[in-house]
Amino acid sequence: MTYKTDIEIARAATKRPIQEIGAKIGIGTDDLLPYGHDKAKVSQDFINSVRDRPNGKLILVTAINPTPAGEGKTTTTVGLGDGLNAIGKKAMVCIREASLGPNFGMKGGAAGGGYAQVIPMEEMNLHFTGDFHAITSAHSLLSAMIDNHIYWGNELDIDIRRVVWRRVVDMNDRALRQITASLGGVSNGFPREAGFDITVASEVMACLCLANDLKDLQKRLGDMIVAYRRDKSPVYARDIKADGAMTVLLKDAMQPNLVQTLENNPAFVHGGPFANIAHGCNSVIATTTALKLADYVVTEAGFGADLGAEKFMNIKCRKAGIAPDCVVLVATVRAMKMNGGVAKADLGAENVEAVKSGCANLGRHIANLKGFGVPVVVAINHFTGDTEAEVQAVKDFVAGQGSEAIVSRHWADGSKGSAELATRVAEIADSGVSKFAPLYPDEMPLFEKMETIAKRIYHADEVVADSKIRDQLKAWEDQGYGNLPVCMAKTQYSFSTDPTLRGAPTGHSIPVREVRLSAGAGFVVAVCGDIMTMPGLPRVPSAETIRLNEAGEVEGLF
Amino acid sequence: MTYKTDIEIARAATKRPIQEIGAKIGIGTDDLLPYGHDKAKVSQDFINSVRDRPNGKLILVTAINPTPAGEGKTTTTVGLGDGLNAIGKKAMVCIREASLGPNFGMKGGAAGGGYAQVIPMEEMNLHFTGDFHAITSAHSLLSAMIDNHIYWGNELDIDIRRVVWRRVVDMNDRALRQITASLGGVSNGFPREAGFDITVASEVMACLCLANDLKDLQKRLGDMIVAYRRDKSPVYARDIKADGAMTVLLKDAMQPNLVQTLENNPAFVHGGPFANIAHGCNSVIATTTALKLADYVVTEAGFGADLGAEKFMNIKCRKAGIAPDCVVLVATVRAMKMNGGVAKADLGAENVEAVKSGCANLGRHIANLKGFGVPVVVAINHFTGDTEAEVQAVKDFVAGQGSEAIVSRHWADGSKGSAELATRVAEIADSGVSKFAPLYPDEMPLFEKMETIAKRIYHADEVVADSKIRDQLKAWEDQGYGNLPVCMAKTQYSFSTDPTLRGAPTGHSIPVREVRLSAGAGFVVAVCGDIMTMPGLPRVPSAETIRLNEAGEVEGLF
C-alpha cells in the first residue's frame, strides 16, 4: 500500500471559498478581509461585536516530550476539531502560524498531516497573510529609531553598551547572531556590539500574541525595555516614541486569520511566538474570539507539556482570563518505544516491553497536568505500524494513572478516525469537572516561581543561580515587575536541562544561566542551558531543492 | 478657501470593489487574487491568455530636474490616465510601489495628490500586498545561504573579502550600512565585513521588475554575482543553489497589483527599484500586461528625464521590446522660478523673468527626449498661485523649442482638469509619429556608452574614470557582459554631478567613482558621486508622530 504525501492530500482537497467558511461561524463577508480566495482576516468591528457572548469550551492539546519519532500535536489538534464537527458539535481550531526561515533549512510543514490538515498548506509555510513580515517591520523600525536617537545626540543618555534590543530577521542566518554595527565613520553612528534573532523570538511577537486589542498592544509595545542608562535605569520603547508607528505597522497583523481544515471546518491560524524565549501559543485575540464563535475551541501549545502546557496555563490563561475545560495529551506508541530506549531505526518492530518502560514520561505529564486541576485524556495518535498489544500497553498504563487513553486515527481517516476521541473530550469539557488554577500566585517572588515550576513540573531538587542573577531578580521586583509570571527557556527533550535524559528523571538541578525581562509581553524569561534565538541552516539546506515545477507548484518545501 | 488634504480626499473617495475594476479591463473574478476588498493580484494564467493581443499606446510621464517646489509626476500620471478615460478612451495607469522604510523618516505619500490619486493610499504606503517583504525574504535567504556555504566548508572557494552580496532591510537604518558579521566564535562562522542596503536597492528588485515571467526571473536570480574567488572568478547565486527557493518566495510578488484611481479607473502598482542604483521604473510584466488590456497606458520613470526617462528608454524599453508613443514632460511654474534663482519662500510672488530664465532646464530635457525619436508634450502641472503671465511664459518658451505646453489642472479638478492634455496626448500617440530608438547600440563598449549618455544627455565634456575602473569594464567585456546597457547613478538635481548646479550646465566632467555589475538585472551601474543605498532617519523621524487615532485611522503618515 502506498500513502499519499501530506502535500498531495492538501492539493487534492476541495477548498470552499473562505466567505463560506466564515458564514459557518457567523462572520459576514464585510467582516472578512480576503487574502486570496482561501484566507481572510477577521475585522476588529466583528470581534468587538461578539465580546459579550458566552464562551465555548476550551480544549488544550499538548504532548509528551518530543522525540525524533514525532508525536503529531498539530495533526491531533486539527483531527480533533474535525472530529467534533463530525459528531455534530460546532467546533473551531486555533493554531500558530509557521516561521518562514526554518522552512528553508529543514523540510517544513506546520499545518498538521495526513487527513488532518489546515489548508492552504503552502502559503501557511511561506508568506501567509504577512503577519510575520509586519512584526519584522515593526521590530526593525524600533531598532533603527534607537540607533537614530543615539546618532542625533542621545538625549535619553542610552549607554550604548547596554542596548538590550536586538534586531530580527525571519531567516536562519547565523552570521548575524553577533555583529559590530555602525562602523564606517561619523555618518554611520557610534560603533557598538549588536546582533539579530529570528522574528519569532521578537518581543513584538509575544506582545501581539498576548494583547487583547490594538490599544493594549500599543501599551505593551511602549512598555518594552530597549536599553539601560549608565545608572542602569531602563529606557522604554515609549521613550523612543516608536510605539505609535509600530502599532500602525501591526494593525492588520493583529487580526486573526481564518482558514479551513481539509474537511472545510473553520480554523484560526494566528501568531507564533517561540516556545522557549516566549510562551509558544497562538494569539489571545484568536483564542478568545473563537470562544465566542464556537461551542468547542481546540488549541495547542508548543513543545511538550512541561514547557508548552505549563506556559499556556501560567502565562496565557492567567493573562487572558481563560481556562481549559479539558486537556488532551498526545502520545504515540513509537515515542513510548524511543523513551523506552529503542533506536529510531528499530521502531518498526513490535516491542511491548519498551513501550511499557517508556510510559514513565507520559505518566509524569499526566500527573503534572492534573496538578492544574484539569481533566486529562491521552490521545494515542495512531501510526500504521502500531500493534494491538503495544496500544493496549499504553492504555493499561494510563488507566493505572487514573486517566483514560483513546486511539485516534485522524491521520489516516480524518474525522472518522477521531470520532471516539471527540465524543469523550466533548463529554468531559461539558461536565464542568475542570477546576483550573495556575501553579503559583502573582505575588510569589520571581525566584520562588522558578523553583515552583522546577520542583512541581520538572521534579528537580533545586534551582541553581548565582548571586548576580538573584540580585537582578530582586532589582526587577523593586522596580515593580515582581508580579510577572516566569517563562522557562529549557530544552524540550527532557524534564531536565540535559536533552538526552528521557523518561521521568528526578534528583536533577535546574541551572538558571541568565534572566531577561520582557516587560511589554509581561514575563521574566529564565534561560536554563543554551537557548538559540537565531538558528542556522544545515549543511545542505532544503532551500537547495525548493523550486517551482513546470506546473507552477512548489516542490521541496514539504 | 481651504483645501482638503490628500488623505482627506482619499478617505472620502467612493471605492468600487476591485472585482468591478478588474471587469472594466476584462479580468474575471477567478483571475483576481484579492488582498482585501480594494487590491488584487492578476493571475499568471490570465497574463498568459492575453499575450498575443496587440499592444495599446504607451505614454511615458517624466519631468524636469526635481526641485524642492515639487513637480507632481505621479499626480500627472494619474490625472492623465483619468483624463483619457473621461474623454472616452480605455486607459490604464502603471506606477511603482512605495518603499516602506522612508515613510517613517519623512512624511510619505507616493500615490499622487489632490484629485489625482491612486487608492488605497494608506496601504500603498505600508505593507500593500507584501511584494517588498517577499523581495526582502528572497534576498535574505540568499544572504544566509552564502554565509552558510562558507561556514560548512566553502566548497566554492569564496574569498570572504570579496563577497559583493550585501544584505537588505526595508527600513532606514544607517547603523547597518557597515558591520562586521559572524562574530562570537566558531559556531557563528568566519568574521567578515558586511553591510545592509534598503530593499528597493536590492538586485532582486531590479530582476523582478525586468523579468518577463517566473522562468525568466529564476534565470536572472541565478545569474546574479554574489562573490568572487581569490582568482577573481565570479560566484553566482546559481552556484549557491538559491535561485529556485528565491523564485518560490517571489511567485506572488511577481504578479501585478490592481488598484483604482479616485475616479475608479484601473491602475497597476507594481515594483519599485531605486532610480539611481537601478532603473527606477515599475515592472515590465505590469506594463506589458497593461498594454494588452488598455488602448492607452500611462506610466512614469523615477527622478528627472536625464535619469528616469534615459533609463526607461535605454534599459526598460530595450529589454522589454516596448517603445513610448508619446512622452509627457511635467513642469511647474514654481520649479521654473526655482531654476531661475527664486528661493522657496518667495515662490508665491509673480516673477515672469525668473520663469523665463528657469526654462533652460526644461528646454534641454525637451531636446534630449526628442533625441530618442519620440514626440514630447510639456504638461504644466497647475498650482493655484500660478499667474497667467507666468504660464504664458512657459508656453512661449516651449513653442520656441518646437513643442507645445498644455496646462493641466488634475490636482484641483481631476479628469475635468486634464481633458485638454489627454486629448492632445491621445492624438499624438495615435498619430504614429514616434520613431523610438535607444541612444546607443548593445555592441558599443561600456565606457563609450557612459560617454554617450554623459555627452548627449548631460551635455558634459567628458567622463573621467581612473584606470582601475576602465580595467574593470574591460574585464567584464571579456567575460561577455559588454553588451549590457549602463545604469547611471548620479544626483537627480542637476545635469551635472553637482546637485546645486541647476538650469542647463555645460562644460562639466562626469567622474565615475565606481562601477558595479548587476548581471542578473542586466546592466552595469556607473556610480558618479556619492550614492546612498541605505538612507538614515532624520533627527525627528515622522515615525514619532505616526499613530492610530481613536477611529482606528492612521495619522501622521501623510
Side-chain angles (χ1 to χ4, degrees), chain B residues 91-420:
Chain B
M92 273 193 81
V93 161
C94 285
I95 60 173
R96 288 170 292 169
E97 299 179 56
S99 182
L100 191 152
N103 288 330
F104 293 92
M106 312 270 238
K107 279 199 178 194
Y115 286 89
Q117 294 187 51
V118 167
I119 47 179
M121 179 182 171
E122 282 135 307
E123 295 177 48
M124 282 182 57
N125 287 291
L126 291 168
H127 307 292
F128 198 41
T129 59
D131 292 343
F132 288 15
H133 291 319
I135 289 165
T136 306
S137 288
H139 188 118
S140 301
L141 174 61
L142 175 55
S143 307
M145 288 177 78
I146 294 166
D147 279 301
N148 192 58
H149 178 88
I150 296 167
Y151 175 84
W152 286 106
N154 198 8
E155 207 176 302
L156 291 168
D157 205 22
I158 290 169
D159 183 343
I160 65 166
R161 302 163 308 177
R162 290 190 172 97
V163 177
V164 291
W165 188 254
R166 288 165 57 83
R167 284 172 167 79
V168 298
V169 61
D170 196 4
M171 199 52 68
N172 292 20
D173 193 349
R174 70 168 67 74
L176 294 177
R177 283 177 190 151
Q178 193 174 326
I179 68 170
T180 309
S182 299
L183 299 173
V186 170
S187 62
N188 295 351
F190 296 84
R192 67 173 184 87
E193 289 182 52
F196 283 70
D197 294 330
I198 192 161
T199 296
V200 286
S202 166
E203 190 178 347
V204 177
M205 172 71 84
C207 288
L208 184 132
C209 290
L210 288 168
N212 295 312
D213 53 29
L214 283 166
K215 203 165 184 176
D216 183 27
L217 175 62
Q218 180 163 348
K219 185 193 170 300
R220 288 172 183 275
L221 295 173
D223 285 343
M224 295 188 306
I225 294 173
V226 299
Y228 294 89
R229 298 183 182 84
R230 289 196 76 150
D231 66 8
K232 297 190 184 164
S233 62
V235 177
Y236 298 91
R238 184 176 297 110
D239 300 327
I240 302 290
K241 298 180 185 157
D243 49 327
M246 291 173 78
T247 306
V248 166
L249 281 166
L250 293 168
K251 72 183 171 64
D252 295 327
M254 186 69 190
Q255 304 313 122
N257 305 298
L258 179 68
V259 292
Q260 62 193 291
T261 67
L262 288 175
E263 300 191 9
N264 311 123
N265 292 312
F268 280 156
V269 178
H270 193 223
F274 247 22
N276 46 25
I277 192 85
H279 60 293
C281 311
N282 75 300
S283 75
V284 163
I285 196 171
T287 304
T288 55
T289 302
L291 285 168
K292 304 298 183 185
L293 306 179
D295 298 325
Y296 301 87
V297 174
V298 188
T299 190
E300 62 168 342
F303 296 149
D306 55 325
L307 282 177
E310 185 271 309
K311 290 172 189 171
F312 179 84
M313 310 284 194
N314 284 320
I315 299 177
K316 183 172 174 178
C317 288
R318 182 194 302 261
K319 296 286 177 184
I322 54 177
D325 296 286
C326 180
V327 174
V328 176
L329 180 62
V330 181
T332 61
V333 165
R334 293 157 59 88
M336 293 302 104
K337 279 197 262 194
M338 283 201 95
N339 263 297
V342 176
K344 198 177 175 187
D346 301 327
L347 287 175
E350 183 180 80
N351 190 336
V352 176
E353 283 316 302
V355 170
K356 282 181 183 167
S357 71
C359 279
N361 185 269
L362 175 60
R364 178 172 290 174
H365 285 295
I366 294 171
N368 283 349
L369 289 165
K370 285 184 174 172
F372 287 97
V374 295
V376 182
V377 177
V378 173
I380 304 175
N381 180 21
H382 193 262
F383 277 63
T384 44
D386 299 351
T387 71
E388 265 185 54
E390 289 174 328
V391 168
Q392 194 57 49
V394 179
K395 285 186 169 183
D396 291 346
F397 174 83
V398 174
Q401 307 289 309
S403 263
E404 58 192 309
I406 299 170
V407 174
S408 194
R409 293 184 164 82
H410 44 271
W411 183 84
D413 300 327
S415 63
K416 277 194 212 79
S418 61
E420 188 188 344

Side-chain angles (χ1 to χ4, degrees), chain B residues 403-557:
Chain B
S403 263
E404 58 192 309
I406 299 170
V407 174
S408 194
R409 293 184 164 82
H410 44 271
W411 183 84
D413 300 327
S415 63
K416 277 194 212 79
S418 61
E420 188 188 344
L421 177 67
T423 304
R424 190 66 190 115
V425 164
E427 276 171 15
I428 295 171
D430 290 341
S431 71
V433 297
S434 181
K435 301 284 175 255
F436 169 75
L439 209 57
Y440 52 80
D442 288 350
E443 54 276 16
M444 184 184 276
L446 293 168
F447 193 73
E448 265 183 58
K449 287 173 181 161
M450 294 173 197
E451 289 182 314
T452 302
I453 295 168
K455 290 178 181 171
R456 297 218 11 221
I457 302 292
Y458 308 156
H459 298 247
D461 280 356
E462 55 172 0
V463 175
V464 183
D466 65 25
S467 61
K468 197 176 142 196
I469 284 171
R470 288 167 185 256
D471 291 347
Q472 178 63 79
L473 295 173
K474 273 268 172 261
W476 287 334
E477 283 165 354
D478 293 344
Q479 290 164 25
Y481 294 110
N483 62 339
L484 295 181
V486 296
C487 178
M488 304 295 279
K490 184 187 70 67
T491 176
Q492 65 265 40
Y493 298 110
S494 171
F495 280 105
S496 74
T497 53
D498 173 2
T500 64
L501 206 58
R502 296 214 171 112
T506 53
H508 50 285
S509 305
I510 301 292
V512 175
R513 293 203 186 168
E514 184 192 339
V515 284
R516 301 184 191 177
L517 174 56
S518 293
F523 49 69
V524 171
V525 182
V527 180
C528 313
D530 290 329
I531 71 155
M532 182 66 81
T533 50
M534 172 54 92
L537 291 169
R539 181 183 287 270
V540 182
S542 66
E544 291 189 3
T545 48
I546 292 173
R547 61 181 188 86
L548 292 177
N549 64 22
E550 289 297 321
E553 293 167 339
V554 179
E555 283 195 359
L557 189 53

Side-chain angles (χ1 to χ4, degrees), chain A residues 369-405:
Chain A
L369 289 165
K370 286 184 175 173
F372 287 96
V374 295
V376 181
V377 178
V378 172
I380 305 175
N381 180 21
H382 193 262
F383 277 63
T384 43
D386 298 351
T387 71
E388 264 186 55
E390 289 174 328
V391 168
Q392 194 57 50
V394 179
K395 286 187 168 184
D396 291 346
F397 174 83
V398 174
Q401 306 290 309
S403 262
E404 58 192 309

